[in-house]
């Protein structure tokens, strides 16, 4: 076999491959054997039909077609390995010449991973992040939220007010017909929480137990999602919420601490930890942005097209579908035009592809490996974020052949950590920030935002 490579652009090549006919022998033998098992010829036992009879009865062309289809992947792979190409996706194959007994010539156009020139070091990268500061207002809000969780309710003999908890029955009609999935009984709802239909707060305020009200609202989900419905709400109970006093007794009720002062100190520490994590996330994102600005990356058109389509499909058929929305309604809520959405999706896809290419190049240059402990820790985090148990998630990953994807995420996370370690990160107060404590978890999370690895495998 002979092969030659023609560079069409920085991300695409054409392989021209010439195969002497004798190298097709194994594939021809396999083709005759396969056809033997599929056909019947009077006078011959199944599987024992001579090649010349198959040629006469079914045509030599059918045999050649079967043999070539069998042989192409092998010769294509040999040519790719010989040229040391890092191919992306499937090739477009064109058989240019097939002479029985002489030669097989074909071409294969395929996208390749672009050559990437990385900076020698990343010490020139400097980013600014928000300072970790917990104000008294932040602390008060946190304690108040905890207080809300321990609120009690007691029925009252008065009209419902903002903040009350009402027990209600709902019935929704569209075009005068009650919806099968538009009836609910015994629903507990806190007025002002915004957790149910738009317009319900104004409808129930001022209504006493035993009363009812009717209002119009656009349904967000169910069989009539997006339609205007006439909703009747009946109030069976009104209950006032009572918040516990902010004292040592509350601290003992809501925590393991004996005093309110200890509870507030712990709440402040928790808020600081959260802000430190947010700060680390911000640092990773801004360092990555600076890194991408330093490196030129050509993006294969077909890969970009596939990534855009995948992102749109996931949004429309998974995320929006679960919320009972279509793309048009989503864009209306977001206040975006379709053109703006397309531009944002393309920009995000380009960034994701560039991120993967650059970090993979860094993984290769730095010879970064992923050990079993790192992979297990990453798997545990991914399982927690997916709502699955570690065992369930691990089984799904193995069955779906996604282990290389997770390994790639961890490796890219380690590569980004190398850049962050070399970069200078300062907060808005001018203080240099040490991110070692949060670096691994956050950088792996950043790596998960890149395109799925299987889309860049041959």
């Amino acid at each position: 076999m002979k092969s030659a490579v023609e560079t069409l652009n920085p991300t695409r090549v054409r392989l021209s491959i010439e195969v002497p006919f004798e190298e097709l022998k194994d594939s021809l033998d396999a083709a005759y054997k396969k056809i033997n098992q599929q056909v019947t010829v009077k006078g011959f036992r199944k599987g024992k039909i001579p090649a010349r009879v198959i040629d006469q009865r079914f045509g030599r062309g059918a045999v050649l077609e079967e043999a070539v289809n069998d042989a192409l992947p092998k010769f294509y792979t040999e040519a790719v390995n010989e040229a040391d190409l890092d191919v992306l996706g499937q090739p477009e194959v064109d058989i240019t010449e097939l002479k029985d007994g002489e030669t097989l010539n074909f071409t294969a156009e395929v996208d390749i991973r672009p050559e990437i020139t990385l900076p020698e070091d990343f010490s020139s990268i400097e980013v600014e992040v928000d300072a970790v500061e917990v104000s008294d207002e932040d602390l008060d809000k946190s304690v108040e939220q905890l207080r809300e969780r321990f609120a009690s309710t007691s029925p009252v003999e008065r009209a419902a007010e903002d903040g009350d908890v009402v027990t209600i029955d709902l019935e929704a009609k569209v075009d005068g017909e009650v919806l099968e999935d538009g009836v609910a009984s015994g629903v507990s709802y806190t007025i002002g929480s915004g957790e149910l239909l738009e317009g319900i707060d104004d409808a129930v305020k001022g209504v006493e137990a035993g009363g009812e009200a009717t209002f119009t609202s656009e349904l967000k989900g169910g069989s009539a999602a997006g339609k205007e419905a006439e909703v009747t709400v009946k109030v069976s109970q009104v209950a006032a919420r009572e918040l516990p006093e902010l004292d040592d007794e509350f601290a003992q009720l809501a925590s393991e601490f004996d005093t309110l002062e200890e509870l507030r100190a712990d709440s402040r520490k928790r808020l600081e930890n959260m802000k430190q994590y947010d700060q680390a996330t911000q640092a990773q994102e801004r360092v990555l942005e600076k890194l991408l600005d330093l490196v030129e990356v050509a993006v294969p058109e077909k890969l970009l097209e596939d990534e855009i389509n995948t992102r749109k499909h996931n949004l429309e058929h998974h995320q929006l579908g679960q919320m009972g929305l279509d793309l048009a309604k989503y864009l209306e809520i977001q206040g975006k035009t379709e053109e703006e959405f397309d531009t944002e999706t393309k920009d995000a896809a380009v960034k994701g592809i560039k991120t993967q290419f650059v970090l993979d190049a860094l993984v290769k240059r730095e010879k970064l490996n992923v050990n079993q402990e790192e992979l297990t820790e990453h798997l545990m985090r991914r399982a927690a974020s997916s709502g699955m148990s570690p065992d369930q998630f691990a089984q799904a990953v193995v069955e779906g052949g996604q282990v290389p994807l997770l390994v790639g995420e961890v490796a890219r996370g380690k590569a980004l950590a190398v850049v962050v370690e070399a970069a200078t990160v300062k907060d808005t107060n001018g203080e240099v920030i040490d991110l070692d404590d949060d670096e691994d978890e956050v950088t792996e999370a950043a790596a998960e935002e890149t395109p799925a690895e299987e889309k860049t495998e041959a």
Side-chain angles (χ1 to χ4, degrees):
M1 184 199 79
K2 297 179 182 178
S3 64
V5 180
E6 177 188 357
T7 300
L8 302 178
N9 61 50
T11 64
R12 194 166 180 83
V13 297
R14 178 187 294 121
L15 289 161
S16 298
I17 302 166
E18 181 180 336
V19 183
F21 208 80
E22 57 266 23
E23 293 187 33
L24 290 173
K25 183 180 183 306
D26 289 344
S27 295
L28 280 168
D29 291 343
Y32 278 117
K33 184 177 181 180
K34 182 177 181 179
I35 295 172
N36 241 308
Q37 299 299 323
Q38 295 175 338
V39 301
T40 301
V41 176
K42 188 175 180 179
F44 296 95
R45 284 183 296 162
K46 196 174 187 65
K48 299 296 183 180
I49 308 169
R52 59 179 177 77
V53 175
I54 291 177
D55 289 346
Q56 292 170 356
R57 290 294 186 92
F58 305 102
R60 175 72 167 174
V63 179
L64 289 174
E65 182 179 355
E66 182 67 38
V68 169
N69 288 338
D70 175 74
L72 282 178
K74 180 184 70 172
F75 292 119
Y76 165 73
T77 301
E78 286 181 11
V80 166
N81 292 337
E82 185 178 283
D84 194 25
L85 298 174
D86 192 349
V87 298
L88 307 170
Q90 297 301 314
E92 295 180 5
V93 177
D94 181 28
I95 298 174
T96 56
E97 185 176 38
L98 175 57
K99 290 184 178 180
D100 194 358
E102 295 184 30
T103 186
L104 164 66
N105 294 334
F106 69 95
T107 62
E109 286 191 19
V110 66
D111 287 331
I112 59 170
R113 191 177 289 257
E115 291 289 333
I116 293 176
T117 302
L118 296 170
E120 288 300 319
D121 66 72
F122 307 101
S123 58
S124 63
I125 295 178
E126 182 172 328
V127 298
E128 184 180 74
V129 296
D130 295 335
V132 173
E133 297 173 345
V134 178
S135 66
D136 290 341
E137 183 181 349
D138 293 332
L139 180 58
D140 291 342
K141 183 178 179 180
S142 175
V143 174
E144 188 63 25
Q145 288 173 343
L146 181 61
R147 188 182 178 207
E148 291 276 350
R149 287 168 49 192
F150 285 86
S152 60
T153 59
S154 56
V156 291
E157 298 295 329
R158 59 166 173 76
E161 300 175 355
D162 202 31
D164 286 343
V165 179
V166 290
T167 304
I168 55 178
D169 299 334
L170 295 166
E171 181 184 85
K173 294 180 180 179
V174 173
D175 297 330
E177 297 290 331
V178 178
L179 300 171
E180 289 186 12
D181 55 354
V183 178
S185 301
V187 177
S188 180
Y189 176 66
T190 301
I191 300 175
S193 66
E195 294 174 352
L196 282 178
L197 297 168
E198 186 176 342
I200 192 171
D201 290 337
D202 291 336
V204 296
K205 279 191 289 189
V207 178
E208 298 183 13
E212 65 178 63
T214 300
F215 64 100
T216 300
S217 183
E218 182 180 313
L219 300 178
K220 302 300 183 184
S223 61
K227 293 184 178 180
E228 289 286 330
E230 182 183 81
V231 183
T232 300
V233 53
K234 297 181 180 179
V235 179
S236 57
Q237 178 180 279
V238 178
R241 297 176 74 251
E242 298 176 359
L243 297 175
E245 292 293 326
L246 280 177
D247 52 23
D248 292 346
E249 186 177 338
F250 167 70
Q252 295 163 20
L253 170 69
S255 71
E256 69 271 30
F257 301 107
D258 293 327
T259 67
L260 181 60
E261 183 179 352
E262 291 174 322
L263 171 62
R264 287 178 64 87
D266 180 70
S267 295
R268 182 180 291 276
K269 182 62 178 176
R270 290 175 183 271
L271 287 173
E272 287 176 351
N273 290 341
M274 290 172 58
K275 285 180 177 288
Q276 284 173 350
Y277 183 86
D278 291 342
Q279 184 188 66
T281 302
Q282 191 178 68
Q284 313 300 335
E285 292 173 349
R286 294 183 179 180
V287 167
L288 179 59
E289 292 281 357
K290 288 287 185 73
L291 173 62
L292 295 181
D293 287 341
L294 290 175
V295 183
E296 288 190 19
V297 182
V299 177
E301 292 183 8
K302 183 65 168 61
L303 182 64
L304 177 58
E305 180 184 344
D306 290 345
E307 179 65 18
I308 291 172
N309 290 336
T310 297
R311 288 172 182 258
K312 286 184 176 180
H313 182 274
N314 288 341
L315 175 65
E316 291 188 59
H317 298 280
H318 297 292
Q319 300 171 39
L320 297 183
Q322 292 175 355
M323 295 187 290
L325 299 174
D326 58 17
L327 182 59
K329 188 62 182 177
Y330 168 76
L331 294 179
E332 181 183 333
I333 294 172
Q334 294 291 314
K336 297 176 183 175
T337 65
E338 189 169 346
E339 290 74 16
E340 290 171 334
F341 169 74
D342 287 342
T343 298
E344 289 181 4
T345 302
K346 180 179 179 180
D347 290 345
V350 168
K351 181 182 177 182
I353 293 170
K354 286 185 174 182
T355 297
Q356 179 169 321
F357 284 171
V358 170
L359 295 182
D360 283 349
L362 188 55
V363 167
K364 185 176 181 180
R365 189 180 82 175
E366 299 294 322
K367 298 181 174 59
L368 300 175
N369 296 311
V370 177
N371 61 41
Q372 186 60 49
E373 182 181 355
E374 291 168 333
L375 182 60
T376 300
E377 289 177 358
H378 183 61
L379 186 146
M380 298 281 282
R381 283 196 289 268
R382 289 292 304 272
S385 65
S386 70
M388 300 170 68
S389 72
D391 287 344
Q392 289 174 325
F393 187 80
Q395 182 178 353
V397 167
V398 172
E399 291 178 352
Q402 300 296 301
V403 174
L405 172 62
L406 261 65
V407 171
E409 289 175 354
V410 178
R412 285 190 285 274
K414 294 177 72 171
L416 182 53
V418 169
V419 184
V420 173
E421 184 178 355
T424 300
V425 180
K426 294 182 179 180
D427 67 15
T428 49
N429 294 327
E431 297 290 331
V432 176
I433 306 301
D434 182 2
L435 299 171
D436 286 347
D437 291 341
D438 302 299
E439 195 170 285
D440 291 342
E441 185 173 346
V442 177
T443 48
E444 286 178 24
E448 291 168 27
E449 297 301 315
T450 59
E453 179 152 305
E454 61 266 23
K455 281 185 274 180
T456 63
E457 294 294 331

